[in-house]
Amino acid sequence: MILITIVQIILLIYLGFASFYIFIFGFASMFPSRKKKAISSINRKYAVLIPGYKEDNVIIEVAEDALKQDYPTELYDVVVIADSFKQETLDTLRKLPIKVIEVSFDLSTKSKALNVAMGQLPDVYDVAIVLDADNLMESSFITKINDAFDNNFIAVQGHRVAKNYNTPFAILDAVSEEVNNMIFRKGHRNLGLSAALIGSGMAMDYTYFKTMMKKIKAIGGFDKEIELQMLKEGIRIEFLNDAIVFDEKVQKAEVFSNQRRRWLSAQLHYFSMDFMNSLKHLILHGNVDYFDKAIQFIQPPRVMLLGLLILINILSLLLNPIIWVNIWFAVLAICILAFFFTTPLKFYNLNTLKAILTLPKAFFLMTLSLLKIRGANKKFIHTEHGT
C-alpha cells in the first residue's frame, strides 16, 4: 500500500505539472495576440528554402504555389533542395522560375541539405524562410513575415495548419498541431515568452541562420537545436498567428507512429543535454525562456498525457480511497480544459468525434513508440507525403 502511494505521488507530480502547464498556456492562448506596429517599411530579400527527400509526389505543386506570393517577385527566390528526386521531376522543376540545387548524402538530413544549399547560394538575402516539401504558403505569408522583421525580430514562426482532413489520423494530427500552436506558440507569446519553432513555416535572419546551421549536426530535430541555442543567447522568437502555412497531416497509423517516435527521441535527447545547463542559466542569468524550453522536452505528448490520466482515473475508481479519486479527477479535468481552450471551433463536428474514437489506437502506438525510441534521433526517418 505504501509503495502504491509513493508511485501515485510521483505520477501526480509529473502528470499534474504537465496538465497545469498546458492549462496555464492554453488559457493564455484564448486572448488576442499583441499586435506591434511596424517601425519601418523595408522590403527585404527572401530565400524560400524547400528541402525535400524523394518528394516527387508533392514538390512541383509546392514550388508552383510558392511563386504566387503577393510580395515583389524580384525580392524572393524559391529554392528547391532536391535529394534523390526522379529525373522527370527535376526536369519539370527546372522549367519553373526557381533555383534547383541537387544534393546527395549517404545519410540524408534536412540540416545537411540546407547547409549545402546556402553554401552555393550568393549572400544576397536578408531572410531565410524554411518550408517542408509539402508546405503551401498563403499568398500574404512573406508580406506578414516582413512586417514582423520590421520589429527587429531575428526569428519568426508562422502558423502551420492542416491542409488535409481525409482520415481519422489526419484529423487527430491536425487537432494536435493546433493545440501545440496555442500552447507553445500563441500562449507563450501572450505571456511574454518565446514561441517554439516547428522546423518549417519559419523565417530567420539569413546571415544568422547560415552561421548557426554550420554548427548543427542533428539528424532529427534540427529546429530544436537551433531554438535552444537562440534561447541560450537570449533571442526571442516571434509567432505570427495570422501567417498561415498549410501542412500535410499524416494519414496512416504507421506513419503517425514513426513520426512520433522521432519526435519523442529528439525531445528526450535534448532534455538530457540541456536541462542542467538551462537550470544554471535560470539561476545565474534569469533566463526563463531557455529553462522553459528544457522543461517542455520532458513533458509527455498530449495524446499520452490524456490517455494516461483516463487510465489512472479508471484504476483509481476501482482501487483508491475517495481522496485520491478526487485528486486524479481534478487533474484530468484540468487537462481536458486545456484541450478545450486550445482546440479551434472548426473541429467541433462529427468527423472529429469519429476521429476521437481512434484515440485508444493512437495512445497504443505512442506507447509502442516509447519502447522503440532508443536511437531514433540518430537515424533519418522519412515521412512520405502525397500518398
Side-chain angles (χ1 to χ4, degrees), residues 15-48:
L15 299 178
F17 174 78
S19 298
F20 189 69
Y21 184 95
I22 65 172
F23 175 86
I24 291 295
F25 288 105
F27 182 73
S29 74
M30 297 175 69
F31 296 92
S33 300
R34 291 175 292 180
K35 293 285 186 180
K36 291 186 177 181
K37 291 184 178 180
I39 58 175
S40 62
S41 298
I42 301 171
N43 281 341
R44 297 163 183 80
K45 190 168 179 66
Y46 288 78
V48 181

Side-chain angles (χ1 to χ4, degrees), residues 303-333:
V303 171
M304 287 206 72
L305 176 62
L306 181 61
L308 284 170
L309 286 174
I310 291 173
L311 186 61
I312 289 172
N313 268 269
I314 293 171
L315 293 174
S316 182
L317 281 170
L318 298 174
L319 305 173
N320 267 333
I322 190 65
I323 186 170
W324 275 107
V325 172
N326 291 336
I327 290 171
W328 282 118
F329 180 78
V331 174
L332 176 60

Side-chain angles (χ1 to χ4, degrees), residues 286-302:
N287 192 336
V288 178
D289 254 337
Y290 183 29
F291 180 73
D292 172 71
K293 175 51 59 177
I295 289 298
Q296 286 179 27
F297 289 150
I298 199 58
Q299 299 222 12
R302 265 49 65 199

Side-chain angles (χ1 to χ4, degrees), residues 160-179:
R160 205 171 69 178
V161 301
K163 69 178 181 182
N164 63 298
Y165 305 93
N166 54 326
T167 71
F169 271 95
I171 293 171
L172 286 182
D173 199 14
V175 173
S176 175
E177 179 96 89
E178 288 291 20
V179 167

Side-chain angles (χ1 to χ4, degrees), residues 95-163:
K95 293 176 184 176
L96 300 173
I98 66 173
K99 298 179 185 293
V100 179
I101 298 176
E102 288 187 70
V103 296
S104 180
F105 312 102
D106 292 333
L107 179 62
S108 295
T109 69
K110 188 183 286 189
S111 55
K112 287 179 183 177
L114 288 167
N115 275 317
V116 169
M118 287 188 287
Q120 294 184 23
L121 292 171
D123 289 328
V124 296
Y125 302 103
D126 300 303
V127 180
I129 291 176
V130 179
L131 300 179
D132 280 344
D134 62 302
N135 288 168
L136 302 175
M137 298 179 288
E138 67 164 354
S139 61
S140 59
F141 184 79
I142 295 180
T143 298
K144 291 173 180 176
I145 292 291
N146 194 65
D147 289 343
F149 274 88
D150 283 341
N151 286 296
N152 295 322
F153 284 103
I154 290 178
V156 177
Q157 176 63 58
H159 186 166
R160 205 171 69 178
V161 301
K163 69 178 181 182

